[in-house]
Amino acid sequence: IAGISRLDTRSWWKLTAPDQPAIENATTAFVDREGRIWFGSDGLGVIVIDGDVIRLVSAESGGIPENMVRSILVDGNDYVWIGTARQGIVRARVADVLNADEGHSPAWQSIDGETLGSNVLRASLAASDGTLWFGTYNGVHRFTPAANGMHGQWTSFTVQNGLADNIVSQNAMAEDRDGAIWVGTSTAVNRLSP
């Protein structure tokens, strides 16, 4: 089943957005604490399903830098973080993204290759301790937010810190019940103890 589909009891329902091209090539998904489902795509940007409402957030209509999305997460301070294939990460307040209209785009903040070592995002994870983890073509990067969520500290992990390989595999990050972070790379699975 191409694109985004939902199973209703015994049959599949294919998601289509009114007045939009077919939603295909979903690359990532995230469910926020309000139950909204955020999908990244390989050409349309971000699709947000909020009950019966479907919103499209794209380079053309929502101000994100490109429509090739590789990772999405919503943090505990209500920022949505969108990782792109070539333009790094952007983030904005969830309310601003959901309330944007065609004449107003959210105020996106860019986090680029200078911070991450690469503009190619591969994976993201919101850990139970509030830290955010991002996998790139140049290692793993942890963001520890300050109390207000707007600022924080970045820490990078690469082969120089013991990571098996700097190329993180697509969507290959997880946290186990003990708080350890697991990262798949092109050569091995890595575990960072809490």
Side-chain angles (χ1 to χ4, degrees), residues 105-125:
S105 291
W108 293 101
Q109 177 189 8
S110 294
I111 296 96
D112 60 20
E114 286 188 32
T115 300
L116 302 172
S118 171
N119 278 333
V120 179
L121 262 288
R122 304 284 291 159
S124 63
L125 171 72

Side-chain angles (χ1 to χ4, degrees), residues 45-60:
V46 176
I47 300 97
V48 185
I49 303 171
D50 188 1
D52 292 332
V53 177
I54 300 170
R55 292 180 179 88
L56 180 64
V57 180
S58 67
E60 297 79 17

